[in-house]
Every structure is written in C-alpha cells, then in structure tokens.
Amino acid sequence: MTQILDINTWSRKDHFHFFSQFDEPFFGVTINVDCTIAYATAKAKGISFFLHYLHKSLQAANQSPSFRYRIVEDQVWIFDQVDASTTVDRADGTFGFSHIDYHEDFSKFKINAEKEIETVRKSNSLFPEVSRSCEVHYSALPWIDFSSLSHARTFNIADSSPKITFGKMTESEGKRTMPVSIHVHHALMDGYHLGQYIECFQKLLNEA
C-alpha cells in the first residue's frame, strides 16, 4: 500500500520546497562500516557476503521511513516497502541492472536474488524487465577502496531514489572494513535521517 504524505503538515515542508528547486538536490557521504562480524557470519553460513550485506542494507532502508519516500509528480509518496536495483557483473566485463524484491526472511530474499542475478548474467540487456519507483539504487565496486564517489546523472529525469555503493573490503589487525557511499535526495531527508540509517545498518551488520 502506498500513502501520500501531506506536505502542508510535514515538519520538513519548507525543506522540501527549498531543496526541490535545486539542479542537484542529492547530497552524499562516504563512510567505512565494520563488517568483521558480517563477513564471518556469511562465511560460517556458506552464503554470499554480497547478498548478506545487501540484505542488511535493504533491511535498514525499510526500517528508515525517509528511505521509503519518493517524489512522484511533485507529491511525496510513502511506500510500504523498498526493493533493490543493483548492478550485476557479467563475464565479459560489462554489467546489467537488476530488480530484487526485498524479503525480511533472508532465505526467501536469497532465492529470489540468485535467480535474478542468473537471469541478468545470461542476458545482454542493460535494464531488467521489472523496474519500480520504490527501489534503492545499488552498485558494488569490490576492486576499489574508495574514499569518495560521484554518480553520473541526467538532471532532466525525475529521480529521488537513494543511491548506495559498496567498495572493497580490507582487513587490518583482524578488523574488516568496507567503504560505503550513500547519496540521498535532500528534499526528502537531512543528515540526521541519513545518520539514523547508517546507525541501523551498522547495528544489523554486527548481528551474528
């Protein structure tokens, strides 16, 4: 079910109208998350580390109301659930976009994700058959331990979906960390809300 937020009674009404006028309304941060426990947990269970932390990120997004807000025809829609649109690598060095439904149950998420990844890898198409407004746009750069990141964007296309990129995991003195870039629409959230998401994501990564 989708609801429309009453902007006139929203505490961020002025913020929404102000940042909605920007040519570039997205702002972003790059953080390093501690994935020591998450990596050990994935390996102990014999599951993909990527799918493990992707699920944790989506779980945090679904628990963060502002990450479920989207701007549709100048209105703010509140989605009950957000899914993932993530890049999938191919053997020839290219990639394709995917759509992976979120399931709170990891086993169901894993089955659906593995099926979608296989479909994209067998296809030559850049875009999936299914694409929705209620997505978080994900990328993975497991070759690069980046400290900042920017995105290619087309400003004349309406877009308010968060964009999250995961980098290369590194290890030092037994601790594993991974850079994560997060870009969000300032009309829909501020640094405070982004901080809440980051805190939630790290907490979920720390679950054994």
Side-chain angles (χ1 to χ4, degrees):
M1 181 178 177
T2 304
Q3 304 176 47
I4 295 178
L5 186 149
D6 186 349
I7 295 174
N8 291 321
T9 61
W10 190 18
S11 62
R12 295 191 67 261
K13 177 183 69 173
D14 291 343
H15 304 71
F16 172 79
H17 289 303
F18 178 67
F19 289 112
S20 292
Q21 305 305 313
F22 278 41
D23 293 329
E24 171 53 295
F26 279 79
F27 74 97
V29 299
T30 298
I31 62 169
N32 280 289
V33 296
D34 184 339
C35 53
T36 309
I37 296 174
Y39 182 78
T41 299
K43 292 305 174 185
K45 294 182 178 180
I47 59 177
S48 161
F49 177 50
F50 169 69
L51 290 184
H52 182 67
Y53 68 67
L54 177 64
H55 183 260
K56 297 295 186 182
S57 176
L58 265 180
Q59 190 176 357
N62 277 282
Q63 291 179 18
S64 305
S66 56
F67 273 71
R68 293 185 281 107
Y69 292 177
R70 297 294 183 273
I71 301 173
V72 181
E73 296 180 351
D74 298 325
Q75 292 183 313
V76 177
W77 289 19
I78 307 173
F79 289 90
D80 287 343
Q81 175 178 303
V82 287
D83 304 316
S85 173
T86 185
T87 54
V88 175
D89 64 303
R90 294 186 174 121
D92 63 359
T94 65
F95 70 88
F97 295 111
S98 67
H99 175 87
I100 301 175
D101 289 330
Y102 171 69
H103 290 280
E104 186 174 358
D105 185 330
F106 177 77
S107 61
K108 293 180 180 178
F109 172 79
K110 176 176 176 290
I111 291 172
N112 184 60
E114 290 177 339
K115 181 179 179 181
E116 176 68 1
I117 289 171
E118 182 181 4
T119 298
V120 173
R121 284 178 173 163
K122 290 181 177 178
S123 169
N124 294 320
S125 176
L126 178 59
F127 300 102
E129 293 183 1
V130 177
S131 182
R132 303 190 180 106
S133 299
C134 50
E135 294 177 326
V136 175
H137 296 159
Y138 286 101
S139 299
L141 301 175
W143 323 276
I144 306 173
D145 182 20
F146 58 76
S147 57
S148 64
L149 186 142
S150 62
H151 290 276
R153 293 197 57 219
T154 301
F155 294 116
N156 61 356
I157 296 179
D159 178 19
S160 57
S161 298
K163 303 173 193 321
I164 300 178
T165 304
F166 306 105
K168 179 181 180 180
M169 181 182 64
T170 58
E171 183 179 6
S172 178
E173 299 180 350
K175 180 179 180 180
R176 296 178 183 272
T177 60
M178 180 175 63
V180 181
S181 168
I182 310 170
H183 285 75
V184 294
H185 200 295
H186 216 336
L188 297 178
M189 71 179 86
D190 306 311
Y192 171 75
H193 308 96
L194 181 53
Q196 289 181 316
Y197 165 82
I198 293 170
E199 182 179 359
C200 182
F201 182 35
Q202 183 63 72
K203 181 180 179 181
L204 291 170
L205 288 173
N206 291 341
E207 292 180 352

